[in-house]
Amino acid sequence: MKEFLGKTVSSGIAIGRILFFAKEKSVVTHKIITDCQAETDRFNEARECAKKQFDELKRKASAVVGDADARIFEAYEMILDDGMFVGGVADHINSEHVNAEYAVKLTGDELSLRFAQLEDEYFKARATDVKDIADRVISILCSEKCENSNKNFSDNDCICNSKNDGKCIDINEPVIVMAEELTPADTINMNTEKMLSIVTKQGSSLSHTAILARAMNIPALTGVDTDASSDGKLAIVDGNNGKLILEPNEETLKEYQLLLEQEAAYSRQMEELKNEEDITSDGKKIMLCANAGGIDDAIKALEYGASGIGLFRSEFIFLDKKDYPTEDEQYEIYKTVVCAMKGKPVVFRTLDIGADKKADYFNLEHEENPALGYRAIRICLDRTDVFKTQLRALYRASAYGKIAVMFPMIISLEEVLKIKAVCEEVKESLKNDGIDYGDVELGIMIETPAAVMISDILAKEVDFFSIGTNDLTQYTLAIDRQNTRLDKHYNPHHEALLRMIKLVIDNGHAGGCRVGICGELGADTTLTERFIQMGIDELSVSPSHLLPVRKAIRESISR
């Protein structure tokens, strides 16, 4: 028996045999070329092929982890269109007269190194993504299907068409997947139903593979110093304590088998709660809703008995596009979600773009501190054409079910009054066009200290508050939540934050509006009873957290 220490990126326990995944790399040959345009055309065709691959991977990932987490592949597509990547390859081809494969390798190495040298851990983790994208384009360029520069790639051609592109791995029995490094594409191309755990030597808790592991609810470790000699050996992954136990002795194996049985029993207990009410032990009803990024999340929310959608992230509709989505395009999506919820309410958050969520066609300027910059409602109130288009689509969809609309990053009464005026203009325009719409409640996100301190004033202007604890925590504590160097200072249980939440609840109720929490803290079951005793009306969490929070609600006392 041998123990290896690592860093937990997803908790839990797994017992099984190791499958060591050794990814083959394309061999890149340096060639001097004479026709730079032909090489550039080859690169652009391979780039389009890679985009189709990532689009297909996104579709597969949606079926496994839901729409929101599957959107990590959109970031890959954005890098493929990014000027630094495309321009860098073109520059190498034209200035050095090298073949496309070699130009992509040089550019990928340069950009990956640039990300790796950044201090911010989130952006540092993107170095792996850039390298993965470059490897995929190189693989396509090296494959027979891409040798002809006039080849039109079909969807079938573009999936798993090279020995090096992250090919589909057929896993026939449950295994612990171990690798030097594992990309999201590698992960989704495997039989995820047979994947017990992920263990890697390289990676971080902010990597996209870590995000997938958490979404799949499987234990995952990184920083584990092991190699291919572990292939086929029995192992235990202890994601709760950051340990890999290779070839455990009988006593250790029995100990962990018991823990695994207890986890399984807990999962069965959770399943039994699907159709139970969200009511405390002393009879107080709590609205338990789901956060969603697409139709798959909405369907899962219904399956788990959610009271509705407490946060639908509409910005993903914009991030999916190469240009501004039209009113009709948005309307069809909103209508589909509303109808899928079968009469249960849906709260749509208006466009929350900016900071770490970018769409090139918005032409947003670079900012030194984007989290405190030009984002969310600030953009919408400046670009009222975009704002009104979204609101018209939302109001039109309200004819088919219960819709509420909430607005992010509010800091002043003036913003709320401007928003309400725009809503009135939209309603009037729909009336003039003879288009039906229903009653739409209006609410705001409370995610800035400014909104907290004037929540008594704001409560008189809206129907509900939804506390966004993710941003509220970082703004209150003055800590970037994506900077792992500050993890020891990042305390979402900080008394200042909890007092702010209590103040918002009291002010909201005094002003006649209901109050909910839609940030990550809403899923923290160690705080569920405290929130209920503060007087919270609603908790909205990711679909995977609905059942544990329901259990916590049912075990809580409201006073």
Side-chain angles (χ1 to χ4, degrees):
M1 183 174 89
K2 189 173 182 180
E3 286 192 11
F4 297 83
L5 294 180
K7 181 179 180 181
T8 295
V9 297
S10 182
S11 60
I13 293 170
I15 301 174
R17 296 203 173 272
I18 289 174
L19 170 67
F20 192 90
F21 175 68
K23 188 173 181 178
E24 214 176 331
K25 298 295 181 184
S26 297
V27 178
V28 181
T29 303
H30 177 199
K31 296 179 182 178
I32 299 298
I33 53 94
T34 55
D35 191 341
C36 294
Q37 186 57 53
E39 285 305 292
T40 302
D41 290 343
R42 286 185 65 229
F43 164 62
N44 284 327
E45 287 192 11
R47 190 164 58 88
E48 290 303 314
C49 181
K51 281 196 241 180
K52 290 182 180 180
Q53 289 187 7
F54 287 128
D55 194 55
E56 175 64 13
L57 286 166
K58 176 186 157 189
R59 184 191 64 76
K60 291 169 68 175
S62 291
V64 177
V65 298
D67 296 328
D69 289 308
R71 284 189 167 89
I72 59 176
F73 290 107
E74 289 172 14
Y76 279 39
E77 293 181 49
M78 289 171 67
I79 292 173
L80 282 166
D81 284 331
D82 188 87
M84 287 195 297
F85 181 69
V86 178
V89 174
D91 285 346
H92 282 300
I93 291 174
N94 291 312
S95 65
E96 301 168 33
H97 294 271
V98 295
N99 54 318
E101 293 91 336
Y102 194 70
V104 172
K105 181 182 185 306
L106 289 175
T107 305
D109 289 347
E110 289 162 0
L111 292 179
S112 180
L113 179 62
R114 190 180 302 179
F115 276 109
Q117 290 175 334
L118 295 174
E119 289 189 8
D120 188 290
E121 292 296 327
Y122 175 82
F123 288 109
K124 188 177 288 188
R126 302 289 73 79
T128 300
D129 298 339
V130 174
K131 191 170 179 296
D132 185 30
I133 290 163
D135 285 347
R136 181 168 291 265
V137 175
I138 290 168
S139 172
I140 294 167
L141 286 164
C142 291
S143 70
E144 290 182 1
K145 293 182 187 292
C146 292
E147 283 181 357
N148 182 350
S149 64
N150 296 316
K151 172 72 178 176
N152 291 317
F153 300 106
S154 69
D155 288 345
N156 288 335
D157 288 333
C158 289
I159 301 302
C160 300
N161 62 4
S162 165
K163 67 179 181 178
N164 299 314
D165 71 352
K167 60 185 178 180
C168 301
I169 306 295
D170 186 19
I171 301 175
N172 297 314
E173 59 179 282
V175 291
I176 294 167
V177 177
M178 180 181 287
E180 181 84 12
E181 192 169 37
L182 201 66
T183 70
D186 298 331
T187 305
I188 291 301
N189 271 327
M190 294 182 186
N191 182 354
T192 53
E193 292 183 359
K194 300 290 187 181
M195 195 179 292
L196 297 173
S197 174
I198 293 172
V199 178
T200 62
K201 187 172 184 177
Q202 299 177 31
S204 83
S205 60
L206 296 175
S207 72
H208 282 143
T209 301
I211 292 170
L212 286 177
R214 290 191 288 270
M216 291 188 291
N217 199 29
I218 61 172
L221 302 176
T222 190
V224 178
D225 190 17
T226 188
D227 53 37
S229 64
S230 303
D231 188 57
K233 293 180 179 178
L234 184 66
I236 297 169
V237 176
D238 183 350
N240 302 325
N241 297 295
K243 290 194 296 187
L244 170 73
I245 303 172
L246 200 59
E247 297 183 308
N249 59 36
E250 189 174 342
E251 182 182 353
T252 302
L253 186 60
K254 285 182 179 179
E255 176 188 343
Y256 275 95
Q257 284 172 336
L258 178 60
L259 291 172
L260 201 56
E261 288 171 10
Q262 290 171 350
E263 281 192 357
Y266 179 78
S267 296
R268 289 192 296 271
Q269 185 184 17
M270 290 299 101
E271 288 293 308
E272 292 171 0
L273 290 172
K274 278 186 177 180
N275 299 313
E276 296 293 336
E277 287 188 292
D278 301 304
I279 191 166
T280 65
S281 59
D282 57 345
K284 182 178 179 180
K285 172 70 176 173
I286 303 295
M287 285 276 290
L288 179 58
C289 298
N291 298 335
I295 191 65
D296 286 351
D297 293 334
I299 291 170
K300 192 174 289 186
L302 275 181
E303 180 188 344
Y304 289 162
S307 298
I309 300 297
L311 166 63
F312 186 92
R313 301 179 179 92
S314 70
E315 60 271 13
F316 290 133
I317 297 167
F318 292 77
L319 295 174
D320 278 347
K321 298 287 183 179
K322 302 297 182 186
D323 201 352
Y324 296 98
T326 66
E327 178 183 321
D328 284 342
E329 287 173 332
Q330 294 186 62
Y331 161 69
E332 289 297 336
I333 294 170
Y334 303 146
K335 175 185 171 184
T336 299
V337 174
V338 170
C339 291
M341 290 306 293
K342 300 177 181 178
K344 291 186 175 183
V346 181
V347 178
F348 289 94
R349 180 176 67 189
T350 56
L351 179 62
D352 187 8
I353 205 164
D356 60 334
K357 290 172 281 190
K358 298 286 181 63
D360 287 345
Y361 58 88
F362 272 81
N363 296 314
L364 300 178
E365 295 179 0
H366 172 74
E367 295 177 302
E368 290 300 322
N369 195 341
L372 300 178
Y374 190 58
R375 56 177 295 200
I377 200 63
R378 298 166 184 176
I379 295 175
C380 289
L381 289 177
D382 272 359
R383 303 187 185 184
T384 52
D385 54 336
V386 176
F387 195 29
K388 287 179 180 178
T389 297
Q390 180 174 33
L391 288 172
R392 277 181 62 93
L394 286 165
Y395 272 98
R396 286 172 61 188
S398 70
Y400 296 89
K402 296 178 181 178
I403 278 184
V405 180
M406 67 178 177
F407 308 94
M409 283 298 293
I410 298 298
I411 64 168
S412 70
L413 173 63
E414 289 73 21
E415 287 172 331
V416 175
L417 295 178
K418 287 178 183 177
I419 289 165
K420 293 175 72 174
V422 173
C423 289
E424 288 302 316
E425 289 178 32
V426 167
K427 288 160 66 176
E428 189 64 28
S429 70
L430 290 172
K431 282 181 187 176
N432 293 337
D433 293 340
I435 298 175
D436 291 335
Y437 61 87
D439 293 326
V440 176
E441 288 190 326
L442 301 181
I444 60 172
M445 296 279 289
I446 303 290
E447 51 191 339
T448 66
V452 171
M453 298 312 296
I454 61 169
S455 55
D456 57 331
I457 299 171
L458 299 176
K460 298 171 185 175
E461 299 294 336
V462 296
D463 298 302
F464 65 94
F465 289 156
S466 187
I467 304 173
T469 56
N470 299 357
D471 272 335
L472 184 58
T473 303
Q474 75 167 343
Y475 294 145
T476 300
L477 303 182
I479 288 174
D480 180 357
R481 57 193 170 96
Q482 292 179 339
N483 188 340
T484 56
R485 186 180 297 178
L486 300 176
D487 281 353
K488 63 182 179 181
H489 302 293
Y490 187 81
N491 176 18
H493 290 203
H494 197 292
E495 191 60 31
L497 180 67
L498 297 175
R499 288 186 186 188
M500 282 185 164
I501 292 171
K502 174 61 173 168
L503 179 62
V504 172
I505 294 170
D506 290 344
N507 285 343
H509 289 168
C513 69
R514 69 179 185 277
V515 184
I517 294 174
C518 65
E520 290 179 8
L521 214 54
D524 187 338
T525 54
T526 66
L527 289 173
T528 302
E529 185 171 61
R530 183 165 179 178
F531 289 149
I532 291 171
Q533 291 177 353
M534 286 179 179
I536 202 74
D537 303 301
E538 176 185 308
L539 296 170
S540 189
V541 301
S542 67
S544 62
H545 287 111
L546 282 166
L547 299 181
V549 174
R550 176 169 294 148
K551 180 176 184 291
I553 289 172
R554 293 174 62 84
E555 292 173 351
S556 295
I557 299 173
S558 66
R559 54 185 181 277

